[in-house]
Amino acid sequence: MNRLIHMFKRLLPAIFILFCAQSLFAQKVVRYELVLKDTLVNFAGKQKRAIAANGQIPMPTLEFTEGDTAEIVVHNQLREGTALHWHGLFLPNKEDGIPYLTQKPIKPGTSFTYRFPIIQNGTHWYHSHEGLQEQIGMYGNFVMYKRADDKTFRKGIDDLPSVPIVLSEWTNLSPDNVHRMLHSATDWFAIRKGATQSYAEAIRSGHFKTKIKNEWKRMLAMDVSDVYYEKVLMNGRNSTELKSIDGKPLKAGDKVRLRIANGGASSYFWLRYAGGKMSVVASDGNDVTPVEVDRLIIAVSETYDVVVTIPEDGKAFEFIATTEDRTQSSSYFIGNGEKQYAGALPRLKYFEGMKMMNDMMKMNGDLDDMGMNMSLQQMDMNVVMYPEITGEEKKKDKSAKNKTVEADHSKHNMPDNENKQNAGAGEHEMNTDENPDRYNANALSDIVTLNYSMLESPHSTELPENAPVKELKFTLTGNMNRYVWSMDNRILAETDKILVKKGEILRITIYNNSMMRHPMHLHGFDFRIINGKGEKAPLKNVLDILPMETDTIEFMANEEGDWFFHCHILYHMMSGMNRVFAVDDYQNPYLPDKAKAYRKLQRDHNMPHLMAENDFASNGNDGSAMLQNARWSLGSEWRLGYNDMHGYEIETHLGRYIGKMQWLMPFIGFDWRYRKMGIDEHEKNIFGQVNKKDNRSAVSLGVMYTLPMLVNFQAEVYHDGIVRLQLMREDIPIAKRLRAGFMVNSDLEFMGDLRYIFTRNLGIRTHYDSDMGFGVGLFLNY
């Protein structure tokens, strides 16, 4: 015994040193320095401004092991403020990186240090949360590895060689310009995609009635994404070859774990693999029980970890990300040898989508799911547009009314065992009109598509039974015509913070009453998706909720602070689809005046947008300009005559849009005109009222209302009692690039026009105006 005691005393210093070393290792500080600079890039044929970190786009991959302490120094050498958000991380609220919610923006020429413990693991990412900077390069992978002694460590999964991949998209337009164009309801992006759905295209496709019904319900053309992008990228490149990992060549039978983050600003991506099925092993940084699929769609800001296997030697198999609108793709070729392609996805059947949308939309703008109780991505209405699931589009033809038009799958040389990923039901006609599973891709085809009902946590995620529960309900609302996105028809600028007590369980039910998908992201917490898996409900921090779906999530608010909850489509978020959960009365050292900062945050998510257009015609000059935010509109129209009409006319209106669909706008107006025509100085309108048309200054009250067929009806009463009624519609889509318009009012004035669109800012226009006569000229818009 004495000998054992003596030996223990001799070993005690070594044991103490070892214990200290382990403690120091467990608390290792991992430091990164990020230098942010403006740069020029040429991703899509034009040199454009971007933001690089340490000279690279995407930003560097940041890697940690659970138990580390992260210390990230951001040196802002931009000409504007910035901040970085650590997407999906559990951290003190002051480190969350949201300008005017958790910190002030990092000023130009200054540095800021983020420091927080790494208390989780998994695939995450990071990005700017300042303005629209995320669109132009400020995104990167953030990977936290499990410790080898972690009880949740999965052999054959967590020890596989892994490759972080961040998906992104690139536009040659500035993001501010993109945002403004979306608010101006331009269809330039649809022209670039070949998705205009004009009347000529509708007639050729046998969908004239579908088009009429669509506009009768006051809807614009069908689309699945907002923006056209010139390029999509994986880790900053359009195509990459992965032949080895850590110097070891890849060969048949090798498995690779792809850690994929969707860092796109507004693009969803279909993920497919030419080498067979993919095994989904994690989502949003949280383990899931492996599930094998042929494909999955990754929402904006989501992360998925998938394991792929190299089936054959001497071949490189394509892992491909394709935008939801199927206009662009990016690829990783995994393996060595001849490239094996997954194949191009066929063009969407847009008029089938329009028909579906007509059936779902009520005349008041609400959606009707017809009792299907949609949830968890199991029923995707857009499946009617997928030829590989529901068959090829049928077009009218003199020789055969229902001739099937085959999609072009010849773009890539597909291996035989992968033909089914693109063929599916496309080889035969499939009538799904009366099928109760008509929107269930997995029921309609042997192509296995991932949805949230298939996700299960490998361990219990149950919340404490004795914790108080706070139930909330949100309805996601939106207006594509004016590009206003909201929750319960209220934007962030119209709401206060939602007060939450620390330790409460928040159970949130969300219904999507819009025709767009919305990836709803919660900062600071993971939530359980209630998907029928009981105690093993999966954990995520992004809920991609499809149109007409109702989903429920829950989490425990166990960390103080002001936490953002928002749609992660960048342009939806900046248009107001946000809320803030205030957990207890957190005193943020970076924001001594939180109320003032919150008002600034609200303004930043309801910015005004300027739109203008002008026609330089042979008979005169006419145009308009508008400054609009989510609710208010200040607009002016002007006309300047060259020939018979010598003079000018300016009408200005200040109005506020009312209602969820914003079809109604009361306004006050001012009409100022001077003309020296020599005749008809005083004219009568249809009401018999005398209208001094040639020299008039008048204040008015009025209202504008959007009628079926997207015709604007305007009623206006001037201070001198004159009444004017007017019907007008612009941008009637006659053909892909041809637009028409008309105006008629109770002053017996009328106008009709045709315009042909050359570029997003330039076209040619011809019109006849009752005052100005016939003219033709160049049409410019901004």
Side-chain angles (χ1 to χ4, degrees):
M1 177 64 72
N2 290 335
R3 188 175 179 183
L4 288 174
I5 293 173
H6 179 69
M7 183 180 297
F8 178 79
K9 286 181 178 180
R10 290 183 62 186
L11 292 173
L12 189 60
I15 294 172
F16 179 77
I17 292 171
L18 181 61
F19 174 81
C20 291
Q22 288 178 332
S23 299
L24 288 172
F25 178 77
Q27 299 175 12
K28 182 177 66 173
V29 175
V30 179
R31 180 184 175 94
Y32 288 94
E33 302 213 17
L34 302 175
V35 180
L36 306 181
K37 288 184 178 181
D38 278 321
T39 188
L40 293 175
V41 298
N42 189 339
F43 286 127
K46 292 184 179 179
Q47 199 170 58
K48 293 293 179 178
R49 180 211 175 205
I51 298 175
N54 299 355
Q56 69 180 68
I57 297 173
M59 296 190 286
T61 296
L62 307 185
E63 296 179 289
F64 304 88
T65 299
E66 187 172 1
D68 291 345
T69 295
E71 187 173 272
I72 306 165
V73 184
V74 179
H75 304 283
N76 183 11
Q77 297 184 13
L78 306 172
R79 292 170 293 178
E80 59 194 73
T82 191
L84 289 179
H85 166 59
W86 320 101
H87 183 103
L89 267 66
F90 307 151
L91 36 60
N93 188 243
K94 66 185 180 67
E95 307 296 334
D96 197 39
I98 314 302
Y100 301 111
L101 185 64
T102 65
Q103 68 173 91
K104 294 179 181 178
I106 306 169
K107 293 181 179 179
T110 67
S111 298
F112 184 87
T113 300
Y114 295 94
R115 186 182 174 95
F116 47 87
I118 301 298
I119 59 174
Q120 64 196 112
N121 57 71
T123 301
H124 296 76
W125 65 297
Y126 67 110
H127 58 90
S128 171
H129 233 293
E130 171 66 22
L132 303 173
Q133 292 175 345
E134 179 191 326
Q135 179 76 89
I136 53 173
M138 291 192 67
Y139 48 84
N141 287 101
F142 195 110
V143 179
M144 297 171 288
Y145 298 101
K146 292 181 181 178
R147 297 189 304 270
D149 61 350
D150 195 309
K151 293 181 180 179
T152 67
F153 193 91
R154 298 177 293 178
K155 291 184 178 180
I157 296 177
D158 294 323
D159 52 358
L160 287 176
S162 65
V163 179
I165 295 175
V166 61
L167 307 172
S168 62
E169 75 276 269
W170 181 260
T171 169
N172 283 334
L173 299 174
S174 75
D176 289 317
N177 202 9
V178 170
H179 202 197
R180 182 186 55 76
M181 291 171 66
L182 292 170
H183 283 270
S184 66
T186 177
D187 59 356
W188 177 246
F189 294 131
I191 291 174
R192 294 298 308 276
K193 294 179 186 183
T196 45
Q197 300 151 64
S198 66
Y199 274 97
E201 292 164 300
I203 292 169
R204 285 198 301 269
S205 298
H207 280 284
F208 178 73
K209 290 182 180 179
T210 301
K211 181 64 176 175
I212 291 290
K213 187 175 181 180
N214 179 251
E215 295 196 344
W216 180 256
K217 291 192 173 184
R218 291 172 277 206
M219 290 187 286
L220 299 175
M222 177 68 187
D223 206 350
V224 297
S225 58
D226 299 329
V227 183
Y228 172 80
Y229 290 98
E230 281 83 7
K231 229 31 147 176
V232 296
L233 310 168
M234 289 190 190
N235 292 346
R237 299 180 64 183
N238 185 248
S239 182
T240 302
E241 295 182 1
L242 183 67
K243 297 184 176 182
S244 64
I245 296 179
D246 296 330
K248 179 183 176 183
L250 296 172
K251 61 182 185 303
D254 284 350
K255 296 180 183 292
V256 179
R257 180 173 180 168
L258 305 178
R259 297 176 173 269
I260 309 151
N262 185 352
S266 67
S267 295
Y268 284 65
F269 294 95
W270 282 109
L271 304 181
R272 296 174 298 134
Y273 179 53
K277 291 187 181 293
M278 302 176 290
S279 180
V280 178
V281 298
S283 180
D284 291 345
N286 294 287
D287 292 345
V288 297
T289 301
V291 55
E292 289 196 338
V293 298
D294 291 308
R295 66 182 191 176
L296 65 90
I297 192 166
I298 184 170
V300 177
S301 82
E302 271 189 315
T303 75
Y304 277 105
D305 291 29
V306 301
V307 174
V308 297
T309 303
I310 301 171
E312 299 178 58
D313 278 330
K315 294 182 179 180
F317 295 87
E318 182 182 33
F319 176 76
I320 186 171
T322 305
T323 52
E324 187 184 11
D325 60 20
R326 306 186 175 194
T327 58
Q328 302 289 343
S329 294
S330 181
S331 302
Y332 247 68
F333 290 92
I334 303 172
N336 292 274
E338 181 183 356
K339 292 180 178 178
Q340 304 296 301
Y341 293 92
L345 288 172
R347 172 184 165 82
L348 294 172
K349 301 181 292 184
Y350 281 107
F351 283 108
E352 291 297 329
M354 180 181 285
K355 183 176 181 292
M356 171 273 300
M357 186 167 65
N358 291 346
D359 294 339
M360 298 298 181
M361 184 75 77
K362 299 178 182 178
M363 281 301 295
N364 67 355
D366 285 336
L367 301 184
D368 182 4
D369 69 359
M370 296 182 289
M372 286 187 291
N373 300 317
M374 297 165 66
S375 65
L376 304 170
Q377 304 178 327
Q378 297 171 95
M379 296 283 190
D380 179 2
M381 295 188 311
N382 288 341
V383 77
V384 301
M385 294 191 288
Y386 304 156
E388 70 276 15
I389 302 293
T390 51
E392 299 294 346
E393 186 168 21
K394 295 178 293 184
K395 295 187 178 182
K396 256 191 175 179
D397 188 279
K398 289 183 179 179
S399 60
K401 289 184 178 180
N402 295 323
K403 182 179 179 181
T404 299
V405 179
E406 294 189 6
D408 177 13
H409 297 310
S410 61
K411 181 178 179 181
H412 294 315
N413 176 28
M414 294 181 291
D416 292 338
N417 66 333
E418 291 307 309
N419 278 330
K420 74 184 186 94
Q421 291 202 20
N422 290 313
E427 297 177 359
H428 55 83
E429 179 185 346
M430 180 175 290
N431 183 4
T432 61
D433 290 345
E434 303 302 325
N435 187 343
D437 288 325
R438 60 188 177 277
Y439 302 125
N440 187 333
N442 288 337
L444 295 174
S445 169
D446 59 357
I447 300 172
V448 180
T449 302
L450 184 73
N451 62 58
Y452 288 158
S453 72
M454 300 162 69
L455 297 180
E456 181 179 65
S457 172
H459 53 80
S460 175
T461 62
E462 281 190 311
L463 298 174
E465 293 183 1
N466 57 352
V469 176
K470 183 184 184 77
E471 300 216 16
L472 298 172
K473 293 184 179 181
F474 295 115
T475 298
L476 306 183
T477 43
N479 183 321
M480 279 298 295
N481 297 29
R482 297 197 60 250
Y483 210 78
V484 175
W485 299 101
S486 54
M487 300 169 70
D488 299 326
N489 194 30
R490 299 169 71 196
I491 61 171
L492 184 71
E494 299 166 332
T495 62
D496 295 325
K497 298 175 184 178
I498 298 171
L499 303 181
V500 178
K501 293 180 181 179
K502 185 177 179 179
E504 279 186 326
I505 292 174
L506 264 65
R507 186 169 295 133
I508 305 172
T509 300
I510 306 172
Y511 168 60
N512 185 359
N513 193 44
S514 79
M515 290 302 298
M516 294 289 291
R517 307 174 78 124
H518 298 288
M520 302 303 297
H521 171 50
L522 175 64
H523 287 217
F525 306 94
D526 282 334
F527 49 71
R528 304 175 79 237
I529 296 182
I530 308 305
N531 70 341
K533 301 299 184 183
E535 67 175 11
K536 294 189 176 181
L539 292 174
K540 287 177 61 63
N541 57 65
V542 177
L543 176 75
D544 174 35
I545 182 165
L546 275 65
M548 293 191 300
E549 277 197 346
T550 300
D551 290 324
T552 300
I553 61 175
E554 62 182 15
F555 67 98
M556 174 172 278
N558 54 9
E559 181 69 34
E560 291 183 341
D562 292 338
W563 301 103
F564 220 18
F565 181 54
H566 63 93
C567 176
H568 216 292
I569 294 176
L570 180 61
Y571 302 105
H572 291 191
M573 179 186 76
M574 297 304 294
S575 297
M577 189 175 268
N578 321 288
R579 287 294 185 273
V580 173
F581 295 122
V583 181
D584 278 5
D585 187 19
Y586 177 65
Q587 301 303 309
N588 190 326
Y590 298 148
L591 295 175
D593 191 342
K594 291 203 299 181
K596 181 179 179 181
Y598 186 63
R599 289 192 294 271
K600 180 65 170 65
L601 178 76
Q602 290 175 308
R603 288 195 298 272
D604 285 351
H605 290 77
N606 186 26
M607 297 296 289
H609 298 274
L610 176 65
M611 295 153 263
E613 57 186 25
N614 199 85
D615 180 26
F616 298 92
S618 58
N619 63 337
N621 181 299
D622 65 278
S624 65
M626 287 187 293
L627 187 67
Q628 296 186 336
N629 65 12
R631 305 297 182 196
W632 291 91
S633 174
L634 175 63
S636 284
E637 300 177 13
W638 58 83
R639 286 166 289 280
L640 173 64
Y642 299 152
N643 301 325
D644 294 333
M645 175 185 170
H646 301 290
Y648 51 84
E649 179 178 356
I650 301 174
E651 296 181 52
T652 300
H653 295 149
L654 174 63
R656 189 183 192 280
Y657 288 95
I658 300 214
K660 177 173 67 72
M661 301 307 295
Q662 299 197 347
W663 290 331
L664 178 67
M665 185 185 76
F667 63 82
I668 58 173
F670 182 72
D671 185 5
W672 184 23
R673 65 180 74 181
Y674 172 75
R675 291 183 294 183
K676 190 174 181 180
M677 297 175 65
I679 58 172
D680 297 332
E681 184 174 343
H682 298 79
E683 291 187 357
K684 290 183 179 180
N685 62 23
I686 63 172
F687 304 111
Q689 296 173 310
V690 174
N691 185 356
K692 299 178 180 179
K693 291 183 67 175
D694 287 357
N695 193 353
R696 177 178 174 82
S697 297
V699 178
S700 68
L701 292 176
V703 63
M704 186 175 70
Y705 184 72
T706 302
L707 298 171
M709 299 303 296
L710 297 168
V711 173
N712 285 328
F713 169 70
Q714 185 171 302
E716 201 166 2
V717 180
Y718 294 91
H719 74 278
D720 54 6
I722 297 293
V723 175
R724 185 172 72 179
L725 306 179
Q726 180 172 288
L727 295 173
M728 182 176 72
R729 180 171 175 191
E730 300 175 302
D731 293 327
I732 302 172
I734 303 300
K736 182 177 179 179
R737 289 177 179 263
L738 186 64
R739 303 292 177 268
F742 71 89
M743 183 278 294
V744 60
N745 64 33
S746 57
D747 287 344
L748 302 178
E749 298 171 325
F750 59 90
M751 182 276 296
D753 80 319
L754 283 173
R755 70 184 72 178
Y756 185 85
I757 300 169
F758 289 120
T759 71
R760 63 186 172 88
N761 298 124
L762 176 66
I764 188 170
R765 177 176 182 246
T766 180
H767 72 283
Y768 182 83
D769 187 288
S770 57
D771 286 337
M772 299 169 61
F774 177 81
V776 61
L778 288 177
F779 178 82
L780 302 178
N781 66 70
Y782 170 76

